[in-house]
């Protein structure tokens, strides 16, 4: 096991030694909820992330930088409501984080909120972490050099090869374990018992969608449409569309836009009851414009996928066509694969390759409700009113979805994630009566 934050000796560090160090009384006393030593460190880290050199190399780190700004941290602690008469918030203790390897910066969000709650933290960083994750670690170590000594003592990020003995020792000492990743990874970690008073906070496999109100699209200006597609591209391509909140299906919502063969042309009443073909044509036109704008964004940003990924996308998408789930597959170079699905019963939740969009056209948001499952997390949307979205949540009646956000915000982390208020989860309540 090797400690990668703060920088330590290159030799392996025994789990017992790490636990003894991190649970010892820190310089200046134990951390508290909203501790100023932690705030100062996170604010300095935020400023480092927002510097132009990092923003150019890793634009996704800008969101993390904004998330950790001074004002945002203050508002987060204020929302926690510490100081309510008869109640005080306290840290949980030692929090152990197992972040996912496929989204290489998400560990920073949960760790930062846990630290802000006054916890001592150990984060196991994947040995495969590179790119933005490595940049984050470098930035953390830069800021650590001028931080209060309590930060180096109470906050550790480590990496080690798969080792059940080490994992078991760390889990056996924690007060809360935070599990990110696929269902299998979460279940494997849960094989290790936790202490009776310890708790789990799990973020397993999730899937996400996007939806466009065709009427809202039509009512938008060209500038608004371009901005919407630009945001959708961020949601699609950051983290290679592998994040739990990355959309994999795009629903086009337009009344009477489908069922073109619902009426036989030789009936006497065909003209009276035939579907609104003008509306169907409107959806076709909207999709064509969307595809064109997305191609422009991809070209402008220089996004592409390597040949191996392109082959994987071809195999996955044409496999859908062979099975009958897809009625059409159209590639725009290697970067974008547009798949027209037969219907809601063929919605795809598995990862098909970066830049793959599965399209389904339906009459209304309410029509989506029966197809939504508990594992579905985020619906990114464009063109709907707040009232329409609120009615949709009522119609869902708890079937699924934890977030509905505008295009461009699907990957924007918030203090409430997967339906959980994380800062509340990272603390416990002490009740006081005189």
């Amino acid at each position: 096991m090797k400690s990668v934050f703060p920088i330590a000796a290159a030799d392996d560090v025994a789990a017992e030694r790490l636990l003894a160090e991190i649970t010892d009384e820190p310089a200046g006393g134990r951390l508290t909820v909203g501790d100023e030593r932690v705030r100062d460190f996170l604010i300095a880290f935020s400023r480092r992330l927002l510097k132009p050199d990092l923003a150019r190399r890793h634009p996704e780190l800008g969101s993390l930088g904004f998330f950790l700004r001074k004002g945002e941290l203050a508002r987060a602690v204020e929302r926690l409501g510490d100081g309510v008469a008869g109640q005080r918030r306290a840290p949980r203790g030692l929090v152990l984080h197992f972040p996912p390897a496929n989204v290489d910066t998400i560990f920073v969000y949960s760790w930062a909120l846990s630290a802000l709650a006054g916890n001592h933290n150990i984060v196991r960083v994947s040995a495969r972490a590179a790119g933005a994750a490595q940049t984050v670690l470098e930035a953390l170590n830069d800021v650590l050099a001028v931080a209060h000594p309590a930060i180096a003592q109470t906050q550790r990020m480590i990496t080690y090869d798969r080792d059940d003995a080490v994992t078991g020792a760390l889990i056996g000492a924690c007060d809360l374990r935070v599990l990110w990743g696929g269902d299998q990874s979460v279940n494997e970690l849960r094989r290790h018992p936790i202490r009776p008073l310890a708790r789990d906070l799990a973020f397993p496999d999730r899937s996400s969608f996007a939806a466009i109100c065709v009427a809202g699209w039509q009512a938008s200006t060209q500038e608004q449409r371009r901005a919407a597609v630009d945001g959708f591209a961020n949601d699609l391509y950051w983290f290679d569309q592998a994040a739990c909140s990355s959309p994999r299906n795009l629903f086009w919502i337009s009344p009477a836009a489908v069922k073109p063969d619902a009426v036989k042309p030789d009936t006497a009443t065909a003209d009276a009851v035939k579907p609104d073909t003008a509306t169907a044509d409107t959806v076709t036109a909207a999709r064509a414009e969307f595809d064109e704008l997305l191609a422009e964004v991809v070209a402008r940003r220089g996004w592409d996928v390597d040949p191996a990924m392109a082959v994987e996308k071809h195999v996955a998408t044409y496999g859908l066509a062979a099975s009958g789930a897809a009625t059409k597959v159209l590639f725009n170079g290697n970067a974008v694969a547009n798949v027209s699905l037969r219907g809601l019963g063929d919605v795809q939740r598995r990862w098909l390759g970066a830049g793959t969009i599965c399209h389904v056209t339906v009459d209304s948001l309410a029509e989506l409700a029966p197809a939504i499952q508990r594992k579905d997390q985020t619906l990114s949307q464009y063109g709907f009113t707040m009232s329409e979205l609120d009615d949709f949540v009522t119609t869902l009646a708890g079937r699924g979805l934890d977030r509905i956000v505008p295009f461009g915000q699907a990957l924007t982390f918030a203090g409430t994630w997967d339906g959980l208020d994380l800062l509340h989860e990272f603390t416990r309540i002490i009740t006081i009566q005189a």
Side-chain angles (χ1 to χ4, degrees), residues 241-364:
Q241 206 180 345
C244 58
S245 52
S246 299
R248 295 171 187 176
N249 301 267
L250 176 55
F251 301 119
W252 294 86
I253 312 297
S254 181
V258 290
K259 313 174 187 71
D261 53 356
V263 178
K264 295 184 183 301
D266 57 350
T267 59
T269 56
D271 289 339
V273 299
K274 71 179 180 180
D276 186 349
T277 54
T279 307
D281 290 343
T282 300
V283 176
T284 301
R287 273 194 58 174
E289 183 182 15
F290 181 90
D291 293 344
E292 182 179 343
L293 292 174
L294 181 60
E296 290 178 6
V297 173
V298 169
R300 184 176 72 248
R301 298 195 184 184
W303 281 332
D304 202 354
V305 298
D306 60 36
M309 175 67 72
V311 170
E312 186 168 349
K313 288 167 64 174
H314 275 80
V315 171
T317 55
Y318 284 112
L320 292 176
S323 70
T327 59
K328 181 186 293 186
V329 176
L330 182 63
F331 275 77
N332 187 345
N334 286 341
V336 184
N338 285 299
V339 181
S340 297
L341 295 178
R342 183 176 51 186
L344 287 175
D346 300 297
V347 164
Q348 297 298 304
R349 291 177 170 84
R350 64 190 178 97
W351 184 74
L352 299 171
T356 303
I357 311 167
C358 295
H359 300 264
V360 183
T361 305
V362 295
D363 288 350
S364 66

Side-chain angles (χ1 to χ4, degrees), residues 20-368:
E21 292 173 349
I22 201 168
T23 56
D24 197 14
E25 187 80 8
R30 294 185 64 84
L31 301 181
T32 58
V33 175
D35 198 289
E36 290 298 330
R37 292 167 291 182
V38 175
R39 290 201 209 197
D40 289 344
F41 177 74
L42 294 177
I43 292 166
F45 178 47
S46 168
R47 290 172 180 155
R48 179 68 187 93
L49 292 178
L50 293 173
K51 285 189 174 182
D53 63 324
L54 282 187
R56 283 192 297 269
R57 281 188 289 148
H58 301 287
E60 67 270 29
L61 295 183
S63 296
L64 176 57
F66 278 102
F67 183 79
L68 298 176
R69 289 177 302 169
K70 181 178 182 179
E72 292 297 320
L73 297 180
R75 282 187 284 273
V77 174
E78 183 179 354
R79 287 193 298 271
L80 193 55
D82 191 29
V84 173
Q87 289 188 356
R88 289 294 305 276
R89 289 274 176 178
R92 286 202 174 271
L94 176 61
V95 180
L96 179 61
H97 307 252
F98 291 91
N102 65 328
V103 183
D104 54 8
T105 57
I106 200 167
F107 72 89
V108 188
Y109 289 95
S110 63
W111 159 74
L113 286 174
S114 181
L116 184 63
N119 294 303
H120 297 210
N121 292 276
I122 298 174
V123 183
R124 189 208 172 186
V125 180
S126 170
R128 293 180 287 156
Q134 189 59 42
T135 300
V136 163
L137 292 173
E138 292 169 359
L140 283 169
N141 279 309
D142 287 346
V143 178
L144 184 68
V146 293
H148 192 282
I151 304 302
Q153 184 178 342
T154 61
Q155 313 298 317
R156 300 294 180 90
M157 295 185 185
I158 63 173
T159 184
Y160 62 91
D161 294 331
R162 183 183 294 270
D163 188 319
D164 283 348
V166 172
T167 298
L170 296 176
I171 287 177
C174 74
D175 299 290
L176 175 68
R177 62 179 174 186
V178 184
L179 310 177
W180 301 82
D183 293 350
Q184 182 178 349
S185 298
V186 170
N187 287 332
E188 284 180 357
L189 288 167
R190 279 179 164 164
R191 291 190 297 105
H192 299 278
I194 55 177
R195 297 191 293 184
L197 282 177
R199 298 186 63 221
D200 268 349
L201 195 58
F203 302 95
D205 280 335
R206 305 299 300 272
S207 53
S208 297
F209 314 114
I212 291 179
C213 173
V214 175
W217 177 269
Q218 286 181 290
S220 302
T221 65
Q222 187 68 15
E223 183 179 352
Q224 290 171 327
R225 295 175 189 176
R226 288 183 181 277
V229 176
D230 201 64
F232 179 86
N234 287 341
D235 296 341
L236 195 67
Y237 284 95
W238 283 355
F239 308 119
D240 288 335
Q241 206 180 345
C244 58
S245 52
S246 299
R248 295 171 187 176
N249 301 267
L250 176 55
F251 301 119
W252 294 86
I253 312 297
S254 181
V258 290
K259 313 174 187 71
D261 53 356
V263 178
K264 295 184 183 301
D266 57 350
T267 59
T269 56
D271 289 339
V273 299
K274 71 179 180 180
D276 186 349
T277 54
T279 307
D281 290 343
T282 300
V283 176
T284 301
R287 273 194 58 174
E289 183 182 15
F290 181 90
D291 293 344
E292 182 179 343
L293 292 174
L294 181 60
E296 290 178 6
V297 173
V298 169
R300 184 176 72 248
R301 298 195 184 184
W303 281 332
D304 202 354
V305 298
D306 60 36
M309 175 67 72
V311 170
E312 186 168 349
K313 288 167 64 174
H314 275 80
V315 171
T317 55
Y318 284 112
L320 292 176
S323 70
T327 59
K328 181 186 293 186
V329 176
L330 182 63
F331 275 77
N332 187 345
N334 286 341
V336 184
N338 285 299
V339 181
S340 297
L341 295 178
R342 183 176 51 186
L344 287 175
D346 300 297
V347 164
Q348 297 298 304
R349 291 177 170 84
R350 64 190 178 97
W351 184 74
L352 299 171
T356 303
I357 311 167
C358 295
H359 300 264
V360 183
T361 305
V362 295
D363 288 350
S364 66
L365 276 176
E367 192 176 333
L368 296 180

